[in-house]
């Protein structure tokens, strides 16, 4: 039936549907979803037409963590560090990574050569140092990256944190993604724009997903001193993320008493309590009577 229906859909529509399925893949399960979609589509030529763009969009949006060859350190693949469709900045390691989106691995590493904005570098490096320390203290599997650009005397930074934990043997996977966009002229107020996304999939004897998207705007006073400015910004980041996590945990505690109860009736459709004792007596009476 599915293939009969697919024959009535245009190629462009099929590609849109396929891309939607792939981009909604839970963390750590992209390859499995690709395999399932490939089996349903049964048309590798058609799938390959959108594979490059779709895989790249998924990897950069999910801010996948990748192992840097020759090290035990991970870097982030993100649009904020994208130099070309397959080259990504790794400022912390001083590298440019070539990443194969289809094979999902780093294929080449070269030193950074002129790709960083030198005018913003002192503040970027200070933010990087403060963020690395923060992530080490508060994220079990976190990977940070800080990217910078400037326009005149105004600086713009993207502070990215990606933290994943995959446990397919126990049927769950999850990822926390944070992007802080920070804009300021040294000595003036900095504008902070937070985007926090959490995605968790639990699929033992069921299929439950948590997907959140939290945004908040803040301001922080800055100085001409890069270190003190970075510490003030990261302190506000920590406060905001801790408040959001606490609110999320509180919602889990109350969910059982509100959301889940709303999914079922307190009483049967007859609006009368079931008389379990009477039912048991009826059964006993039937057994005695040989019925």
């Amino acid at each position: 039936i599915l293939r009969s229906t697919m024959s009535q859909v245009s190629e462009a529509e099929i590609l849109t549907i396929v891309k939607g399925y792939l981009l909604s893949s839970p963390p750590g399960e992209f390859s499995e979803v690709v395999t399932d979609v490939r089996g349903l589509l049964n048309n590798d030529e058609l799938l390959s037409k959108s594979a490059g763009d779709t895989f790249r969009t998924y990897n950069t949006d999910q801010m996948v963590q990748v192992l840097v060859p020759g090290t035990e350190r991970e870097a982030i693949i993100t649009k904020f560090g994208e130099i070309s469709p397959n080259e990504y900045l790794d400022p912390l390691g001083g590298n440019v990574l070539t990443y194969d989106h289809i094979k999902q691995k780093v294929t080449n590493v070269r030193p950074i050569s002129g790709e960083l904005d030198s005018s913003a570098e002192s503040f970027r490096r200070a933010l990087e140092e403060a963020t690395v320390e923060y992530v080490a203290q508060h994220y079990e599997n976190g990977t940070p990256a800080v990217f910078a650009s400037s326009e005149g005397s105004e600086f713009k930074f993207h502070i990215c944190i990606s933290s994943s934990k995959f446990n397919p043997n126990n049927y769950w996977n999850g990822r926390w993604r944070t992007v802080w966009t920070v804009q300021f002229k040294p000595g003036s107020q900095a504008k902070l724009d937070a985007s926090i996304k959490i995605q968790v999939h639990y699929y033992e004897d069921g299929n439950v997903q948590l997907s959140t998207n939290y945004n908040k705007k803040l301001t922080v006073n800055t100085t001409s001193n890069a270190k003190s400015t970075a510490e003030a910004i990261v302190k506000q980041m920590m406060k905001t993320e801790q408040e959001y996590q606490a609110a999320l945990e509180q919602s889990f505690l109350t969910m059982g008493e509100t959301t889940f109860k709303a999914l079922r009736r307190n009483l049967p459709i007859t609006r009368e309590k079931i008389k379990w004792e009477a039912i048991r007596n009826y059964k006993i009476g039937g057994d005695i009577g040989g019925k």
Side-chain angles (χ1 to χ4, degrees), residues 11 68 80 94 97 182 199 202 210 234 251-252 266 281-282:
E11 183 176 293
V68 179
F80 302 110
L97 310 179
V182 183
Q199 193 174 359
Y202 179 83
L210 165 71
V234 173
S251 71
F252 293 153
N266 289 324
N281 290 336
Y282 293 153

Side-chain angles (χ1 to χ4, degrees), residues 213-263:
N213 190 351
Y214 176 75
N215 298 284
K216 189 170 184 178
K217 295 182 182 296
L218 303 158
T219 57
V220 172
N221 291 324
T222 71
T223 69
S224 58
N225 182 281
K227 183 177 180 180
S228 62
T229 295
E231 289 173 348
I233 290 171
V234 173
K235 182 179 180 181
Q236 186 59 65
M237 286 168 49
M238 179 176 67
K239 181 174 182 290
T240 301
E241 293 187 4
Q242 287 179 337
E243 287 175 350
Y244 178 58
Q245 183 175 352
L248 202 58
E249 290 174 350
Q250 183 60 39
S251 71
F252 293 153
L253 294 175
T254 59
M255 193 175 290
E257 296 297 319
T258 55
T259 307
F260 289 147
K261 280 192 173 181
L263 297 176

